[in-house]
Amino acid sequence: MKHINNTVLLLFPLILATGCAEKVKTQEDKTDLIMTENSALTYVLPTPRIKGDISVEEAIQHRRSHRSYLKDAITAEDLSQVLWAAYGITQPLQGYPQTRGGLRTAPSAGAKYPLEIYALVGNVRGIEPGVYRYDSREHKITRVIDKDIKKELSVAALNQEMISDAPACLFYSAVYSRTTERYGDRGRERYVCMDLGHSAENVYLQTEALHLGTCAIGAFDDAAVRAVMQLPEEEEPLYIMPIGRYFDVSEF
Ligand SMILES: Cc1cc2nc3c(=O)[nH]c(=O)nc-3n(C[C@H](O)[C@H](O)[C@H](O)COP(=O)(O)O)c2cc1C
C-alpha cells in the first residue's frame, strides 16, 4: 500500500511542473487528469488497487486464452489495472537509473526492464482513441498515434480479428540492447523473452481477476506490425494482447 500512496504523491509535482493540467472528464471514470506534454495527449491513470474479488489461485485456475470479444467499452480503471499488472512500479528506487523508476510487478533479468508497453485504445471510457506509450514510473500513458489502428494491426497479425474486435489491446516491444549490453547472446536468446512471459502472465491473471479476457498473440508479420505501430528502430515487436469482455469458451 505504501507504494500506491507514493504513486499518488508522485502525481502532484508532475502536474505542477507541467503547469498545463486540465481537469476534464468524468465522475464515472475518474480519469480526471489530462495533460498535454509537447502537444501529446497524456493521461495520468487511476491509482491501481491491490485487492480484488478473486484469489490468485482462482485466477490461475480459470485463466484461458480468449479470442472472441464484445465491443463493449472497458473502463479507464480496467486499463490502468492491466498496465500496472504488466509493468507497474511496486518499489520505487532512487539512484538506480537503469531501472527507470524502480522494481516492478514482473521480474526482469538484472532489473534491466527491456520491454516497452503500448495501449491501443478503441473503446475505453474516458480515454480518447489512439496508441499510447505506457510510462511505468508515473503510471501514465502518452499518445503517440492519434487514431485507433487496431484494424490495421489485426491485418498485420495474419487477420486475427480479435485484435480489432477488442475495445483495447496491449502491445509489447523490447529494446534488446538494455539486456544484451550486460548479458550478450544469453540476453537476446533467453532473458528478454523470459521477461516478456512474466509480464504477459500477469496480464492474463489480472484480466481474469477483472472478469475480462486476453490472448497472447505472437503470430504476425514483423515488418507490417512495425510499420503500423510506427515503432522506433531500436524496438522489436513481440506480443499483442487484446483486452475486453469475451463470449467464447476454451477451444479445448
Ligand atoms: C508465445 C505464444 C504465442 C502465441 N500466439 C498466439 C497467436 O498468435 N494467436 C492465438 O490465437 N493464440 C496464440 N497464443 C495462445 C496459445 O494458443 C494458447 O496459450 C494455447 O492454445 C493454450 O491455451 P490457453 O492459453 O487457453 O491455456 C500464443 C501463446 C504463446 C505462449
Side-chain angles (χ1 to χ4, degrees):
M1 184 56 89
K2 182 170 139 246
H3 306 309
I4 300 296
N5 290 338
N6 285 346
T7 306
V8 174
L9 289 172
L10 270 176
L11 301 183
F12 288 98
L14 179 73
I15 294 157
L16 292 173
T18 62
C20 55
E22 293 173 51
K23 194 130 178 114
V24 282
K25 304 272 175 182
T26 66
Q27 299 297 337
E28 58 167 347
D29 294 316
K30 303 189 199 82
T31 314
D32 56 359
L33 291 167
I34 295 181
M35 292 176 281
T36 50
E37 288 184 345
N38 305 323
S39 76
L41 186 60
T42 296
Y43 295 86
V44 177
L45 293 167
T47 304
R49 61 188 168 92
I50 53 170
K51 290 233 183 287
D53 9 312
I54 67 171
S55 68
V56 67
E57 292 85 354
E58 288 169 311
I60 291 168
Q61 170 65 30
H62 295 301
R63 182 210 64 80
R64 279 277 75 79
S65 295
H66 297 283
R67 299 182 176 82
S68 299
Y69 292 93
L70 301 168
K71 291 186 188 297
D72 300 8
I74 61 168
T75 65
E77 283 83 359
D78 293 332
L79 183 64
S80 167
Q81 200 68 39
V82 171
L83 284 166
W84 171 80
Y87 231 28
I89 304 267
T90 47
Q91 188 174 335
L93 286 180
Q94 310 292 335
Y96 296 88
Q98 78 279 9
T99 67
R100 296 182 312 292
L103 302 178
R104 307 192 187 194
T105 48
S108 172
K112 294 295 185 184
Y113 303 108
L115 306 175
E116 292 290 326
I117 304 181
Y118 297 82
L120 280 70
V121 172
N123 191 11
V124 178
R125 277 207 290 280
I127 300 184
E128 292 289 317
V131 178
Y132 295 81
R133 183 187 288 273
Y134 178 52
D135 177 338
S136 300
R137 187 195 303 259
E138 318 235 13
H139 196 53
K140 68 182 185 182
I141 51 173
T142 297
R143 193 156 71 171
V144 293
I145 300 176
D146 66 1
K147 62 176 187 163
D148 179 4
I149 53 111
K150 287 191 286 84
K151 180 68 200 161
E152 293 92 319
L153 190 62
S154 78
V155 172
L158 318 180
N159 295 308
Q160 299 195 69
E161 290 182 353
M162 57 181 141
I163 295 166
S164 46
D165 290 345
C169 295
L170 297 196
F171 179 91
Y172 282 89
S173 66
V175 180
Y176 273 73
S177 59
R178 289 180 194 153
T179 299
T180 58
E181 68 189 6
R182 175 153 171 194
Y183 296 110
D185 288 347
R186 195 171 182 82
R188 168 162 287 281
E189 289 159 14
R190 294 182 177 225
Y191 293 165
V192 170
C193 280
M194 289 171 172
D195 280 21
L196 174 71
H198 294 301
S199 175
E201 180 68 1
N202 281 2
V203 172
Y204 266 106
L205 298 181
Q206 180 67 81
T207 52
E208 188 62 45
L210 294 169
H211 311 291
L212 298 171
T214 192
C215 180
I217 297 176
F220 48 74
D221 176 330
D222 290 358
V225 163
R226 177 182 277 291
V228 168
M229 287 294 296
Q230 301 176 29
L231 278 191
E233 191 64 34
E234 61 174 1
E235 293 180 31
E236 301 281 347
L238 288 178
Y239 253 170
I240 305 164
M241 300 187 77
I243 310 290
R245 292 190 198 292
Y246 57 87
F247 58 93
D248 60 344
V249 291
S250 169
E251 291 172 352
F252 300 101

